[in-house]
Amino acid sequence: MERTAAQRAFANVLVNTLIANVTTSFLWFALTFWVYIETRSVLATGIIGGAYMLFIAFFAMIFGTIVDRHRKHAVMLMSSVVSAAAFLVAGVLYVWQPESALLDLGGPWFWIFSIVILFGGVIEQLRNIALSTTVTLLVPEERRANANGLVGTVQGLAFLVTSVFSGLSIGFLGMGWTLGIAIAAMVLTLVHLLFIRIPEGAPTPDPDAPSALDFRGSVAAIKLAPGLFALIVFSTFNNLIGGVYMALMDPYGLTLFDAQMWGFALAFSSTGFIIGGALVAKFGLGAKPMRTLLLVVIVMGLLGSLFMLREWWPLYVLGMWVYMALVPPAEAAEQTIIQKVVRFDRQGRVFGVAAAMEAAAAPITAFLIAPIAEFLVIPYMDSSAGQRQWGWLLGEGDARGIALICLFAGLIMVVVGGLAFLTKSYRRLTDLYADAPAQNPQADAGEQADAGDQADAGEQAEVGERADVATAAVPVNAALPGEATDARGTASSGAFVDPVSARGGRASADDSAPPDGDRVRD
């Protein structure tokens, strides 16, 4: 029954997160499209996009501490309430101010309007970190990789829906109705979340984490798992390389398609997210997710270096599709490793550090690579010298400079992924994952609650002993057969139910029922 309740709770949380992710991404993409269509300012959209990623990088560590300090259901509720409130404020601003004021880049209302929507979108990262820890809470260890694949599928579906419907909403309905849709969807998410019950105990306060930004506690948690910091650095480096593709994917696509067809090509490619996540949900990641991660990264590097070798749209679209299908396995592998080797009560902070570093990496590369491509590499490839040196490999065309950058970026990813197999961090983290004890936060919470019930029952039994010693029941903390006792003769575990029976399995003592006196706590 407990497993069924946990599965039902996880399914509901997953659906709720899907709606929330679609809503926040839908409005954020719509804002970017609206601003560019109305102002034709690449600078404004670039600042908005960069600020979004940098805000995530800053707030992710704070979000991680919040997740560790509070129940996951309460954290998700807070995320929904704040996002809904932010979108509602943006709606009030839209009704109050004329569009001309909201689109005036030199005026204050444009930036206030954008920042409010930005904040409503960034707060969704709080829910995503909570979702990663909820996998540990609700899913048995042997199925967590599959559950992380489902999370990747949800994120891919959100990207697919957003990439198609944000543009359609702005084009046919305008920003006002788009805001109305986002507010209604977020309120629906909040109402649905109120009816979800997540079986979880109250987190134990960490005395070493007094502030909202617990950087020291995050570092301490990472240090306790040898090789984990190297994994986060490796993932951050992959995001640096991924920033190259983030900066150059749209310009290259728009050389092959018009704007409308490019939107549909991007929507088709994003189905790779769904397929990749579904495959992980079905087959898992194998016994060594760290090895799976490195192999996936090497394949991604090879693919990224090849899918622009010729200016041929089927090669590019198919290459993007396969590349996106490889993203969920890579993300799921990292999450599965953290969920196994990091203590549950510190996972939020570790996921927060990882999200902060990885979110900061991609925009940094994008900001650097765009001017390098525009002012150095693309002019070089348009010159006769560049065409003589690289024409045999890359051919000729308007975007051969972009192809050259992606070729080297992919090869760098291949080399780094191959070298990672030779590092001590890879071996240590692989061994740690194999040997780490299983975590069951639900059982731990159940044992804590049971211990409190036993204390109450013990007090009641003590009162009964004073009244009638002859009818006193066997004390709740009496040692079970074969159980170690302390100097006072009480059981050293301090709990009657063992972890197996707390999870709904077979009792581990001698499968006998407890004495009648112990039934006081029931």
Side-chain angles (χ1 to χ4, degrees), residues 196-413:
I196 297 176
R197 294 294 178 264
I198 299 178
E200 57 179 330
T204 303
D206 188 348
D208 298 325
S211 64
L213 183 59
D214 184 23
F215 181 75
R216 181 179 299 177
S218 304
V219 172
I222 293 172
K223 284 183 176 180
L224 289 175
L228 183 58
F229 183 70
L231 169 64
I232 295 175
V233 171
F234 181 77
S235 299
T236 302
F237 178 80
N238 287 338
N239 276 31
L240 285 170
I241 299 298
V244 175
Y245 298 108
M246 184 178 77
L248 302 179
M249 182 179 292
D250 286 336
Y252 189 84
L254 289 171
T255 64
L256 303 177
F257 304 95
D258 58 30
Q260 292 81 3
M261 287 304 298
W262 172 237
F264 283 106
L266 192 60
F268 167 77
S269 301
S270 66
T271 61
F273 280 123
I274 301 173
I275 300 301
L279 290 174
V280 176
K282 175 67 175 177
F283 300 107
L285 296 165
K288 297 181 178 180
M290 188 66 191
R291 179 180 62 185
T292 303
L293 171 62
L294 296 184
L295 291 175
V296 167
V297 166
I298 290 173
V299 174
M300 291 174 73
L302 285 172
L303 189 65
S305 64
L306 296 178
F307 69 170
M308 296 184 191
L309 284 183
R310 286 294 184 271
E311 203 164 317
W312 187 38
W313 73 262
L315 175 65
Y316 185 55
V317 172
L318 182 62
M320 281 198 309
W321 187 90
V322 179
Y323 188 95
M324 291 183 181
L326 293 172
V327 172
E331 295 287 342
E334 181 185 6
Q335 291 184 357
T336 302
I337 293 168
I338 293 175
Q339 288 159 355
K340 177 70 179 289
V341 304
V342 177
R343 225 171 61 191
F344 175 71
D345 60 344
R346 291 178 178 265
Q347 283 183 12
R349 279 165 284 183
V350 174
F351 279 119
V353 170
M357 294 178 63
E358 294 165 18
I364 289 174
T365 309
F367 289 150
L368 290 176
I369 204 66
I372 291 175
E374 183 170 351
F375 298 113
L376 294 178
V377 180
I378 292 177
Y380 168 72
M381 284 301 296
D382 285 339
S383 68
S384 57
Q387 292 174 4
R388 282 196 308 270
Q389 188 166 2
W390 297 102
W392 63 274
L393 178 62
L394 301 176
E396 297 181 358
D398 295 336
R400 296 302 83 205
I402 294 177
L404 181 64
I405 293 174
C406 291
L407 170 66
F408 279 100
L411 293 177
I412 291 172
M413 187 181 293

